Amino acid sequence: MRYLRFVVILGALLLTACGGGKEDAATTACTNEINSKLKDQNYRIEPSELRASAKAEDDAIMHLSGTVVFDPGLPREYKQQVDCRVRFVSGQDLPNVISLNFTWE
């Protein structure tokens, strides 16, 4: 379980290191927030899926979405959609997460 969390964080950091840009910063902020909310659970999320979904709602707000797989590979595996909105603030490396919602699929 800790290994999985490490892989998710590492993936987000690699995305940030490779390309930069608002999409990468938003992906890192959302991934960090998801990790903090689900810290004691067994789950998988692909940072690349979050980044690919990134859409600017205006100059400061970006929306990202992806699928969280809980208990991956187990008979009780289930999925939820996650929607994350971030707000970019001048002078901050990462945007603020202003909304994080999990929706049953």
Side-chain angles (χ1 to χ4, degrees), residues 13 27-28 54 71 74 80 90 102:
L13 291 174
T27 299
T28 300
D71 295 323
L74 298 176
Q80 285 187 345
S90 180
F102 293 90

Side-chain angles (χ1 to χ4, degrees), residues 22 25-27 29-31 33-34 50 53-58 60-66 82-88 94-103:
K22 284 188 166 187
T27 299
C30 288
T31 302
E33 188 70 15
I34 291 166
L50 285 174
S53 74
K55 291 185 177 57
E57 293 185 350
D58 62 28
I61 307 287
M62 187 169 284
H63 175 250
L64 296 87
S65 62
V82 64
D83 289 306
C84 180
R85 280 188 173 73
V86 297
R87 177 181 294 130
F88 291 89
L94 292 179
N96 297 324
V97 175
I98 58 173
S99 173
L100 183 68
N101 297 304
F102 293 90
T103 308

Side-chain angles (χ1 to χ4, degrees), residues 24-87:
D24 292 332
T27 299
T28 300
C30 288
T31 302
N32 290 347
E33 188 70 15
I34 291 166
N35 289 334
S36 75
K37 298 293 183 198
L38 302 178
K39 59 186 168 199
D40 295 329
Q41 300 199 29
N42 183 19
Y43 69 95
R44 180 183 71 230
I45 187 162
E46 297 295 330
S48 59
E49 179 185 4
L50 285 174
R51 188 190 188 293
S53 74
K55 291 185 177 57
E57 293 185 350
D58 62 28
D59 291 342
I61 307 287
M62 187 169 284
H63 175 250
L64 296 87
S65 62
T67 303
V68 180
V69 180
F70 291 90
D71 295 323
L74 298 176
R76 64 180 178 262
E77 176 181 297
Y78 64 99
K79 299 176 182 180
Q80 285 187 345
Q81 186 71 20
V82 64
D83 289 306
C84 180
R85 280 188 173 73
V86 297
R87 177 181 294 130

